[in-house]
Amino acid sequence: MRVLGVDPGLTRCGVGVVDGVPGRPCTLIGYYVVTSEPDDDLAARLLHLDRSLADLIAAHRPESVAVERVFSQHNVRTVMGTAQASAIAILVAAKAGLPVQLYTPSEVKAAVTGSGTAA
């Protein structure tokens, strides 16, 4: 199964593509960072993220999309940008007809390293 994983962010959005089957190590297909400038217009930044993620889905043809769940921080502005980027990732996947799963940061760390407290 090919999965496109998204670590949402408005300034820097991490994207990884892996192939794998349950119980076996995954094979990394590619990784990317979609960037935008903090001073740019918000609508333009969100549109850039939308187009970039749609292009990556078209290029890699995943069967599923995994998005890191937004977690609470003290900085509301950071949480808002992360939540907006997360919503774009979910919407792009939905428009492509792909299932989406949300994972907490500790669930992602545990799946990748075996420990939910990995750095």
Side-chain angles (χ1 to χ4, degrees), residues 39-55:
D39 295 334
D40 288 350
D41 177 66
L42 176 61
R45 295 172 76 190
L46 294 172
L47 184 58
H48 171 66
L49 181 58
D50 175 88
R51 289 178 178 159
S52 297
L53 292 174
D55 289 347

Side-chain angles (χ1 to χ4, degrees), residues 16-107:
V17 182
V18 296
D19 277 339
V21 295
R24 299 211 168 189
C26 292
T27 301
L28 177 64
I29 303 303
Y31 57 92
Y32 310 88
V33 178
V34 179
T35 62
S36 68
E37 294 298 322
D39 295 334
D40 288 350
D41 177 66
L42 176 61
R45 295 172 76 190
L46 294 172
L47 184 58
H48 171 66
L49 181 58
D50 175 88
R51 289 178 178 159
S52 297
L53 292 174
D55 289 347
L56 288 169
I57 285 174
H60 291 287
R61 298 171 41 173
E63 298 167 65
S64 180
V65 174
V67 179
E68 189 172 292
R69 188 183 313 258
V70 177
F71 60 96
S72 179
Q73 295 178 352
H74 297 304
N75 187 338
V76 174
R77 189 172 183 185
T78 300
V79 171
M80 287 299 296
T82 303
Q84 291 165 332
S86 180
I88 293 296
I90 294 166
L91 180 62
V92 169
K95 288 192 298 188
L98 297 171
V100 177
Q101 297 296 321
L102 299 174
Y103 297 96
T104 65
S106 59
E107 288 173 325

